[in-house]
C-alpha cells in the first residue's frame, strides 16, 4: 500500500470513529446524563461549516466554488492577481475557497495561517495564488488576531460580502473535480500542525 493510500485509510477510519463518537454523545444527551466540559479542538471536518482549530485559532470554510470571470460578482474576487499569473490554462478553472478565522482567547493574540493547500484523492496538491491584500480587499492574508477578534471583520469588504469570508484563489484542472473529496489543509503558522476539511464541491 502506498503512503498516500495509507493516509487516506487512516482518515477514513478517523471519520468512522468520529461518527461513532457523535452517535454515542447523542444517546447520552438524550438520556439526560451528558456532562459539561470544554469541547476538544477539531482537526477534521467532513463538510464545510465545521469549526477547525489550528494553533489556537478557529477556522471555518464559509463556501467554496468555481468562479466565472464573466460574472460581475466573481470578477471582484480576481482583482489584484499578478500579471504573470493572470492567465489560466486550458481545461482549468478558477476555484475560490472563502475562509473565516476567529480567536477565542480573551487575553492573547494569535497569528492566522498563511499556508493552505488542496489535495485530491490521487494525492495531487494545489496551493493558492499570492494576491496582495492592498490590491484585492477580498484576499486572504496572514494577520495577527487580537483577543476575541475575527478575520475578516464584519465591517470590511470581505467580511460584509455575501460569502462572509476572505478568499483563497486556486487554479485547478477541471478534471480534478471528479477526484473528490477535495481536502483543504490549513497549516499552523509555526509549523506545529494542521487541520483538514472536505470541501463541498
Amino acid at each position: 500500500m502506498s503512503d498516500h493510500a495509507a493516509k487516506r485509510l487512516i482518515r477514513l477510519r478517523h471519520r468512522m470513529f468520529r461518527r461513532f463518537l457523535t452517535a454515542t454523545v447523542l444517546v447520552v444527551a438524550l438520556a439526560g446524563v451528558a456532562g459539561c466540559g470544554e469541547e476538544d479542538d477539531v482537526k477534521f471536518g467532513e463538510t464545510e461549516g465545521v469549526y477547525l482549530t489550528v494553533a489556537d485559532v478557529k477556522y471555518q470554510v464559509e463556501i467554496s466554488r468555481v468562479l466565472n470571470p464573466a460574472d460581475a460578482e466573481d470578477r471582484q474576487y480576481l482583482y489584484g492577481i499578478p500579471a504573470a499569473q493572470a492567465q489560466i490554462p486550458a481545461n482549468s478553472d478558477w476555484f475560490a475557497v472563502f475562509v473565516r478565522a476567529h480567536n477565542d482567547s480573551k487575553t492573547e493574540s494569535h497569528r492566522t495561517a498563511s499556508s493552505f493547500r488542496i489535495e485530491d484523492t490521487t494525492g495531487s496538491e494545489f496551493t493558492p495564488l499570492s494576491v496582495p491584500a492592498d490590491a484585492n480587499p477580498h484576499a486572504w492574508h496572514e494577520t495577527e488576531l487580537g483577543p476575541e477578534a475575527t478575520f475578516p471583520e464584519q465591517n470590511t469588504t470581505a467580511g460584509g460580502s455575501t460569502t462572509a469570508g476572505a478568499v483563497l484563489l486556486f487554479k485547478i484542472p477541471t478534471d480534478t473535480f471528479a477526484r473528490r473529496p477535495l481536502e483543504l489543509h490549513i497549516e499552523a503558522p509555526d509549523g506545529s500542525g494542521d487541520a483538514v476539511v472536505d470541501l463541498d464541491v
Side-chain angles (χ1 to χ4, degrees):
M1 181 182 294
S2 68
D3 289 344
H4 178 71
K7 289 179 182 177
R8 301 291 302 189
L9 181 58
I10 290 170
R11 288 188 188 127
L12 177 60
R13 288 175 177 168
H14 178 70
R15 291 180 198 175
M16 294 174 66
F17 182 65
R18 286 190 62 81
R19 287 174 180 166
F20 170 77
L21 288 181
T22 300
T24 302
V25 169
L26 287 174
V27 169
V28 172
L30 290 173
V33 295
C36 296
E38 187 173 338
E39 182 180 348
D40 291 337
D41 291 345
V42 177
K43 297 297 182 183
F44 177 78
E46 293 184 16
T47 185
E48 295 170 7
V50 174
Y51 285 94
L52 306 171
T53 302
V54 182
D56 298 312
V57 175
K58 291 190 181 297
Y59 297 85
Q60 183 183 42
V61 173
E62 302 299 306
I63 189 173
S64 64
R65 63 182 178 85
V66 172
L67 296 182
N68 176 8
D71 180 82
E73 178 184 349
D74 286 4
R75 277 199 302 272
Q76 65 184 322
Y77 303 129
L78 299 171
Y79 290 163
I81 297 173
Q85 301 180 25
Q87 297 300 316
I88 189 163
N91 301 316
S92 295
D93 291 297
W94 289 109
F95 186 66
V97 181
F98 297 89
V99 181
R100 184 169 57 183
H102 181 74
N103 178 11
D104 277 344
S105 175
K106 298 181 184 298
T107 58
E108 298 180 354
S109 296
H110 294 291
R111 197 111 188 119
T112 62
S114 61
S115 182
F116 300 83
R117 60 186 169 88
I118 287 175
E119 182 178 347
D120 70 13
T121 54
T122 69
S124 295
E125 297 182 353
F126 309 91
T127 55
L129 279 67
S130 178
V131 180
D134 58 355
N136 185 338
H138 293 277
W140 176 274
H141 59 273
E142 185 179 2
T143 187
E144 189 78 14
L145 276 182
E148 300 184 301
T150 297
F151 174 75
E153 296 180 8
Q154 189 172 5
N155 61 351
T156 63
T157 300
S161 70
T162 56
T163 64
V167 66
L168 297 167
L169 283 175
F170 296 83
K171 291 180 181 179
I172 295 186
T174 304
D175 60 6
T176 301
F177 299 109
R179 299 192 290 272
R180 300 189 296 266
L182 301 185
E183 296 178 340
L184 177 71
H185 293 250
I186 305 170
E187 300 181 10
D190 60 0
S192 60
D194 69 353
V196 182
V197 60
D198 284 353
L199 299 175
D200 298 343
V201 182

